[in-house]
């Protein structure tokens, strides 16, 4: 295949992602499947599970990935329309050697992509470029593989009902965002005796109500209002492919995912003193102290679900999470990002403590913070901008302490800031946090001044600092 037909830009850091019809076509997706089959079969793999989300292009793409894998001689287990964590779970449950999930996650409707695993560990980074090179020249083998299908939703629910038990009277509100969550989350909670009040549970790849991203506050407003007005233990928001979760406490307050990571760390460290906890650079400055106070060892990581999973494997960590809502529980869990498992663990902790959801976050400092602000910048320039900023702050950190593990992270006595390049979209990601509003504005002005010399639009940052 002509290398020009497999655009390098779709092979991103964590997965393959692009605009349907422009970057991703059925022919391209099949060739990627063929290349993946060649790569995995060369390692001795025999079977791959394939699933897809609810976007219009996802089922046709899954069929073409299947065809490519079969042409490479691998057997394929089709698991149909499922959330991403059920694809991961199916790889384990069915004994497959790898998995492919067709999903655009929370991206706009015109996008789609492929999340690829060897076992349940992601194939990512430089290895995706290796896959691209293999796929460009891949050819069908003489003896194709065979395709079978498997239903995994009910077995998954049965597995989780064995793992979790709850007292009578639990009630939750959820926002499925018209993604993959509804057909799994509702019967799962109900099988556990939990009453569910669901917003937007019908799968609809046009996302008529809002994009399914639980870390964007405005998308969670209706869920927050519902929880505040009702009698719920808490609320949960799920992203499009259900590997990320957002939590709303019983008062209707959106809790940041790093708050939830602290709650999980405390719970798990009571069982495994001295355990390692991984958190990403977008998480708050107070996390390492809170983890240490709970008896754990904090480990700072670059952002990315693939990266934190790899870091878990390297370090033997019992828990890893990032601000976007990817949370991987190894101790007592499967070790991959499963929004349903995270939701059930949240309820398990509430039940074990006999209190309210907000009690899980006791002792977490009340900070003034922006959400994750995404500033549009072209793919060609985003890394150049960040590289220039790293050099600038290395020379003069402005009284702060610089960490340049993943972009620019500056810590001050009264707060911190982060500017990094997104690995999934044409954006810079910015976070600012201060002990009070004055600190937030002061540190925010440092971010603004740093970015004003670059061709970026700062309207979203201004809005975040003023809201």
């Amino acid at each position: 295949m002509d290398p020009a037909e497999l655009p390098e830009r779709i092979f991103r850091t964590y997965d393959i992602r692009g605009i349907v019809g422009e970057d991703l076509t059925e022919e391209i997706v099949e060739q990627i499947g063929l290349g993946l089959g060649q790569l995995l079969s060369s390692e001795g793999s025999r079977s791959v599970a394939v699933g897809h989300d609810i976007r219009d292009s996802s089922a046709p793409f899954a069929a073409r990935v299947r065809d490519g894998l079969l042409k490479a001689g691998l057997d394929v287990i089709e698991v149909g329309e499922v959330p991403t964590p059920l694809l991961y779970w199916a790889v384990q449950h069915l004994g497959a050697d790898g998995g492919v999930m067709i999903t655009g996650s929370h991206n706009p409707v015109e996008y789609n992509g492929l999340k690829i695993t060897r076992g349940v560990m992601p194939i990512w980074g430089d290895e995706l470029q290796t896959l691209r090179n293999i796929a460009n020249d891949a050819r069908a083998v003489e003896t194709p593989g065979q395709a079978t299908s498997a239903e995994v939703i009910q077995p998954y629910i049965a597995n989780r009902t064995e793992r979790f038990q709850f007292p009578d009277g639990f009630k939750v509100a959820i926002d499925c965002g018209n993604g993959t969550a509804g057909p799994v989350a509702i019967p799962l909670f109900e099988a556990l005796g939990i009453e569910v009040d669901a917003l937007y549970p019908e799968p609809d790849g046009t996302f008529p109500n809002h994009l399914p991203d639980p870390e964007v506050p405005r998308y969670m407003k209706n869920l927050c209002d519902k929880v505040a007005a009702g009698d719920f233990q808490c609320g949960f928001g799920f992203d499009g492919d259900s590997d990320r979760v957002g939590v709303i406490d019983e008062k209707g307050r959106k809790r940041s995912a790093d708050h939830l990571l602290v709650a999980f760390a405390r719970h798990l460290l009571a069982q495994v003193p001295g355990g390692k906890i991984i958190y990403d650079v977008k998480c708050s400055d107070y996390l390492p102290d809170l983890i240490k106070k709970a008896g754990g060892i904090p480990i700072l990581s670059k952002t990315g679900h693939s990266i934190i999973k790899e870091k878990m494997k390297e370090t033997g960590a019992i828990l890893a999470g990032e601000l976007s809502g990817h949370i991987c529980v190894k101790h007592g869990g499967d070790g991959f990002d499963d929004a349903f498992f995270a939701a059930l663990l949240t309820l398990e902790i509430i039940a074990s403590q006999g209190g309210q959801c907000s009690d899980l976050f006791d002792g977490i400092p009340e900070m003034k913070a922006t959400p994750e602000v995404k500033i549009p910048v072209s793919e060609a320039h985003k890394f150049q901008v960040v590289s220039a900023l790293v050099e600038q702050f290395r020379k003069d950190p402005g009284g702060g302490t610089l960490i340049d593990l993943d972009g620019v992270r500056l810590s001050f006595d009264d707060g911190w800031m982060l500017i990094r390049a997104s690995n999934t979209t044409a954006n810079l990601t910015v976070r600012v946090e201060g002990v009070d509003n004055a600190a937030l504005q002061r540190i925010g002005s440092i971010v603004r001044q740093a970015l004003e010399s670059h061709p970026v639009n700062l309207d979203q940052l201004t809005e975040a600092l003023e809201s």
Side-chain angles (χ1 to χ4, degrees):
M1 189 173 190
D2 186 338
E5 294 183 55
L6 288 181
E8 184 175 4
R9 63 184 176 274
I10 69 175
F11 291 81
R12 298 173 181 265
T13 301
Y14 315 135
D15 51 30
I16 297 169
R17 193 173 304 184
I19 297 175
V20 175
E22 295 181 18
D23 304 320
L24 287 176
T25 65
E26 292 187 18
E27 293 74 20
I28 284 175
V29 167
E30 181 172 334
Q31 193 68 19
I32 291 171
L34 180 59
L36 176 63
Q38 183 173 315
L39 171 64
L40 293 180
S41 62
S42 71
E43 302 169 351
S45 295
R46 300 295 301 274
S47 65
V48 176
V50 176
H52 62 84
D53 71 11
I54 45 76
R55 293 168 188 252
D56 290 344
S57 60
S58 292
F61 279 0
R64 295 299 286 267
V65 167
R66 174 204 62 204
D67 292 346
L69 289 165
L70 293 174
K71 289 179 180 178
L74 287 184
D75 294 335
V76 175
I77 308 169
E78 296 180 277
V79 298
E81 186 176 291
V82 294
T84 291
L86 268 72
L87 183 278
Y88 298 153
W89 186 84
V91 170
Q92 289 183 332
H93 175 69
L94 301 172
D97 297 308
V100 180
M101 179 69 188
I102 309 298
T103 178
S105 186
H106 62 282
N107 285 90
V109 295
E110 63 269 23
Y111 281 82
N112 214 329
L114 293 79
K115 292 181 178 179
I116 303 173
T117 70
R118 178 187 289 109
V120 296
M121 292 299 294
I123 292 176
W124 65 286
D126 292 341
E127 196 168 17
L128 285 178
Q129 293 301 325
T130 299
L131 171 59
R132 175 176 178 262
N133 293 333
I134 292 171
N136 279 329
D137 300 318
R139 296 291 182 268
V141 300
E142 290 186 5
T143 305
Q146 295 183 335
T148 58
S149 61
E151 201 287 313
V152 297
I153 293 178
Q154 290 307 316
Y156 171 86
I157 290 174
N159 176 272
R160 293 318 192 217
T161 55
E162 291 177 2
R163 165 64 179 80
F164 293 96
Q165 293 83 39
F166 297 101
D168 294 338
F170 265 39
K171 182 179 178 181
V172 300
I174 63 175
D175 185 337
C176 302
N178 298 114
T180 59
V184 177
I186 295 172
L188 172 60
F189 284 129
E190 290 178 344
L192 286 161
I194 301 166
E195 185 179 345
V196 186
D197 191 338
L199 290 171
Y200 322 127
E202 303 84 5
D204 185 338
T206 67
F207 307 124
N209 294 287
H210 61 74
L211 286 177
D213 189 342
E215 279 305 307
V216 177
R218 67 180 183 275
Y219 296 160
M220 292 293 97
K221 184 179 184 306
N222 288 347
L223 180 60
C224 289
D225 291 345
K226 177 179 282 290
V227 174
D231 181 22
F232 300 97
Q233 259 66 41
C234 58
F236 298 109
F238 302 107
D239 76 328
D241 65 332
S242 305
D243 58 5
R244 297 193 295 122
V245 67
V247 174
I248 314 300
D249 71 19
E250 78 283 353
K251 299 176 183 177
R253 295 178 299 183
K254 171 74 178 69
R255 307 304 299 229
S256 179
D258 50 6
H259 292 193
L260 188 62
L261 188 62
V262 170
F264 285 5
R266 290 167 170 168
H267 179 69
L268 297 176
L269 287 168
Q271 304 168 34
V272 189
K276 296 173 181 176
I277 311 293
I278 294 168
Y279 65 102
D280 83 315
V281 296
K282 293 188 289 187
C283 290
S284 179
D285 253 5
Y286 53 66
L287 253 72
D289 286 342
L290 291 175
I291 292 169
K292 289 176 184 176
K293 186 176 180 180
I297 301 171
I299 300 174
L300 180 65
S301 171
K302 293 181 179 180
T303 289
H305 70 92
S306 301
I307 295 173
I308 64 172
K309 290 171 192 169
E310 191 69 34
K311 199 76 171 175
M312 286 184 80
K313 183 178 178 181
E314 291 174 5
T315 63
I318 63 173
L319 173 69
E322 55 176 10
L323 187 78
S324 67
H326 288 281
I327 299 181
C328 306
V329 180
K330 184 64 175 177
H331 178 71
D334 297 299
F336 53 75
D337 35 351
D338 179 345
F340 309 130
F341 187 95
L344 293 174
L345 183 59
T346 303
L347 294 174
E348 181 177 78
I349 300 172
I350 294 171
S352 68
Q353 294 183 356
Q356 297 180 314
C357 181
S358 56
D359 297 335
L360 273 58
F361 312 111
D362 283 349
I364 295 179
E366 293 286 341
M367 305 286 283
K368 296 292 184 180
T370 68
E372 184 178 341
V373 180
K374 297 179 180 179
I375 299 176
V377 62
S378 71
E379 290 282 354
H381 293 101
K382 64 183 181 182
F383 292 108
Q384 296 174 14
V385 171
V386 170
S387 293
L389 293 173
V390 168
E391 289 305 312
Q392 174 185 331
F393 285 108
R394 277 178 182 164
K395 294 176 183 177
D396 180 12
T401 301
L402 173 65
I403 296 176
D404 57 5
L405 174 68
D406 185 2
V408 173
R409 181 181 172 119
L410 276 179
S411 296
F412 304 91
D413 291 339
D414 58 350
W416 65 281
M417 54 161 276
L418 172 73
I419 308 171
R420 62 177 293 277
S422 170
N423 283 308
T424 57
T425 56
N427 291 297
L428 299 178
T429 297
V430 173
R431 271 206 88 198
V432 183
E433 193 168 84
V435 296
D436 53 28
N437 192 60
L440 180 73
Q441 298 305 320
R442 184 188 72 78
I443 299 170
S445 68
I446 296 174
V447 176
R448 286 190 60 87
Q449 291 170 14
L451 290 173
E452 280 174 349
S453 59
H454 299 277
V456 298
N457 187 319
L458 299 179
D459 290 348
Q460 291 188 48
L461 176 60
T462 300
E463 180 183 347
L465 290 169
E466 292 176 352
S467 63

